[in-house]
Amino acid sequence: MTKKLIVFVTLLFCVIGYSQEGTSSPYSYYGLGEVKFRGTQSSRAMGGLGIQGDSISLNLLNPASYSHLRLTTLAVGATSTFTNLENETEKGKAKRTGLDYLAVGIPMGKFGASLGVLPYSAVGYKLKSSTTIDGQVVEKSFTGEGNINKVFFGLAYSVNKKLSLGFDVQYNFGDIQNESIENNTSITLSGRERNTSRISGSSFNIGALYTTKWKEKYDIYTSFVFSPEARLNSTNERNLATVTFTGNGAEIVNDNIDIAVPNSKLSIPTKLALGLGLGEKNKWLIGSEVTFQSSSQISNRFRDEEADVAYKNSQKFVLGGFYIPKFDSYTSYLSRVVYRAGFRYENTGLVIKNKEINDYGMNFGLGLPLGYSKIDVGFEFGVRGTTYYNLVRENYFNLSIGLSLSDKWFKKRKID
């Protein structure tokens, strides 16, 4: 058990120290970036459905699920995203790979606990524009990178066989950098503006799961998760410089100056998720979940006014489920595989040029059993944004892989 804990803690610190560029979306410029975490791979393969607790799998979407664990479970997952981007005149491609979660769940009788690290959001984009002013061509480039991660600890309690309650406490941290370069093609020098934000602050959420029988054979699942608004500290810096570029693209800074800009408070919006499902234990489940988020609380990292950009409250709708042909089959491995599918539609709350930016996707996945452990593989086909008014539409494909290792870490020694 001690060796397993040492391995997990070592992995945890490695992940905390690992900086990843987990998105290529131009929409990650706004707010705190593109929100990344949508559950473990088993939940993602059902569109992000998280209405059920499990004895050997972590459900990181609802902290009340931790008390359902019967074996200590180490879970890790990652996703590769392949994106085709297009507007009215241009097309491009991008590829990103990032960690989705690293967590451990520990059963403690009627209690259950979990701790780990998750990405909250990511910023990563490269954009260019060109305009002609008084006969001179002015080129602008915009780049951004960075991420916000969170370490969390959660605890759950089974009030009785039907009802479980739980909570998560998170500490959010990360750096985000945005840079813009303006170049008049008739002038050698270019102007550069670099903005950096260091984000930190805590947040928490509470959850409940309630399961009851219907006609003795079927289970009805209900889920509740509430996350109050969290106010994060943003320590801001701005640097202005004139730069030139060598033939191989290397940047030479000629002069620069730091500009004082005020620090700010940024919001992780209030969120409420309600879920309902019907299923047969170890056989099938179909469920739906709706999430309401006060995205109108979002603001930009710097208080500069952004033309034609606004935020409104957002909603997300999920429909998904799974099917297991025969979970205890001794003769057919395929009969023990968990087959998952789901659909997700999200109004992100971001409005650009009076056009709402929506995100929706179809999900499919397999849960491949390895004794009490498993490998989860998921596929998602999705679309975000629009080409309206020369905005960007993203057609993306996600390939997700998760590993869930379940075992008894805490065993009483017997002395003969």
Side-chain angles (χ1 to χ4, degrees):
M1 181 270 290
T2 302
K3 291 182 179 179
K4 293 175 181 177
L5 284 175
I6 291 173
V7 170
F8 173 74
V9 172
T10 302
L11 286 172
L12 184 63
F13 279 102
C14 288
V15 170
I16 290 175
Y18 172 62
S19 177
Q20 57 181 345
E21 189 176 302
T23 183
S24 56
S25 172
Y27 300 113
S28 67
Y29 169 80
Y30 302 99
L32 289 171
E34 179 190 352
V35 176
K36 297 298 294 181
F37 182 69
R38 295 208 302 267
T40 60
Q41 311 307 18
S42 56
S43 294
R44 288 170 65 107
M46 297 186 290
L49 191 68
I51 63 173
Q52 184 187 34
D54 191 274
S55 61
I56 59 173
S57 298
L58 274 173
N59 172 6
L60 297 176
L61 293 173
N62 191 324
S65 67
Y66 305 151
S67 62
H68 289 244
L69 288 170
R70 295 297 174 261
L71 295 175
T72 300
T73 300
L74 173 65
V76 60
T79 295
S80 289
T81 300
F82 306 85
T83 308
N84 292 319
L85 304 100
E86 62 177 313
N87 58 19
E88 293 177 345
T89 58
E90 296 182 278
K91 295 182 178 181
K93 294 184 178 182
K95 176 185 175 182
R96 295 289 186 272
T97 298
L99 182 80
D100 290 325
Y101 54 88
L102 172 64
V104 64
I106 304 171
M108 299 180 293
K110 281 197 166 188
F111 288 90
S114 182
L115 69 154
V117 60
L118 312 168
Y120 173 73
S121 65
V123 173
Y125 59 88
K126 295 179 181 179
L127 302 171
K128 290 184 178 181
S129 68
S130 179
T131 57
T132 301
I133 302 176
D134 297 330
Q136 296 182 338
V137 178
V138 177
E139 297 177 341
K140 293 183 179 181
S141 64
F142 305 87
T143 59
E145 61 182 9
N147 54 78
I148 299 175
N149 297 314
K150 58 183 179 182
V151 290
F152 76 94
F153 171 77
L155 188 67
Y157 175 70
S158 291
V159 179
N160 50 47
K161 292 183 178 181
K162 295 183 176 181
L163 177 64
S164 295
L165 305 174
F167 71 90
D168 276 331
V169 177
Q170 303 118 13
Y171 179 73
N172 305 269
F173 61 96
D175 294 341
I176 297 173
Q177 182 174 279
N178 301 94
E179 182 176 283
S180 62
I181 296 178
E182 182 174 316
N183 175 40
N184 187 321
T185 55
S186 63
I187 302 174
T188 304
L189 292 176
S190 300
R192 186 195 68 190
E193 178 180 314
R194 179 177 292 165
N195 294 317
T196 303
S197 298
R198 293 181 175 84
I199 310 296
S200 63
S202 60
S203 58
F204 75 95
N205 59 288
I206 58 175
L209 289 174
Y210 183 80
T211 306
T212 188
K213 286 288 185 181
W214 179 54
K215 293 185 177 180
E216 297 185 356
K217 183 178 180 181
Y218 304 108
D219 293 310
I220 297 176
Y221 301 93
T222 53
S223 171
F224 166 89
V225 179
F226 177 70
S227 305
E229 179 187 10
R231 302 287 286 175
L232 305 184
N233 299 312
S234 178
T235 303
N236 301 322
E237 298 175 358
R238 174 172 292 167
N239 179 267
L240 302 180
T242 56
V243 298
T244 55
F245 295 92
T246 63
N248 61 6
E251 180 182 277
I252 300 174
V253 178
N254 298 283
D255 57 78
N256 68 92
I257 183 173
D258 292 324
I259 303 295
V261 289
N263 297 330
S264 55
K265 293 282 188 178
L266 299 177
S267 173
I268 295 181
T270 302
K271 184 169 66 175
L272 172 66
L274 302 171
L276 178 66
L278 176 68
E280 185 178 348
K281 186 176 181 181
N282 295 324
K283 186 69 176 179
W284 59 269
L285 167 72
I286 185 169
S288 181
E289 197 165 12
V290 57
T291 301
F292 305 95
Q293 185 166 279
S294 300
S295 302
S296 59
Q297 300 168 338
I298 294 175
S299 60
N300 291 323
R301 294 181 290 277
F302 288 81
R303 297 300 184 183
D304 303 342
E305 293 294 329
E306 290 291 338
D308 298 325
V309 176
Y311 302 94
K312 61 181 292 184
N313 293 340
S314 63
Q315 303 83 36
K316 180 172 69 174
F317 303 93
V318 168
L319 177 66
F322 68 79
Y323 174 70
I324 309 173
K326 189 176 181 181
F327 83 99
D328 58 353
S329 174
Y330 288 101
T331 58
S332 173
Y333 180 81
L334 293 179
S335 295
R336 303 198 304 273
V337 171
V338 185
Y339 300 89
R340 303 185 177 100
F343 173 77
R344 171 184 55 84
Y345 173 82
E346 183 176 1
N347 176 351
T348 65
L350 177 62
V351 182
I352 304 176
K353 297 180 181 179
N354 294 319
K355 188 68 174 179
E356 296 181 359
I357 305 302
N358 298 322
D359 186 357
Y360 55 92
M362 286 293 300
N363 300 84
F364 307 92
L366 300 172
L368 307 174
L370 302 170
Y372 288 122
S373 301
K374 62 175 181 172
I375 296 175
D376 291 304
V377 182
F379 312 91
E380 181 178 29
F381 301 88
V383 178
R384 181 191 295 113
T386 175
T387 56
Y388 172 86
Y389 266 105
N390 210 33
L391 295 175
V392 177
R393 180 170 64 212
E394 305 170 17
N395 298 282
Y396 58 86
F397 168 71
N398 289 331
L399 171 62
S400 301
I401 298 179
L403 179 62
S404 181
L405 301 174
S406 299
D407 198 359
K408 287 187 177 181
W409 285 22
F410 304 92
K411 299 179 182 179
K412 291 182 178 180
R413 293 184 178 273
K414 294 182 179 181
I415 302 177
D416 295 329

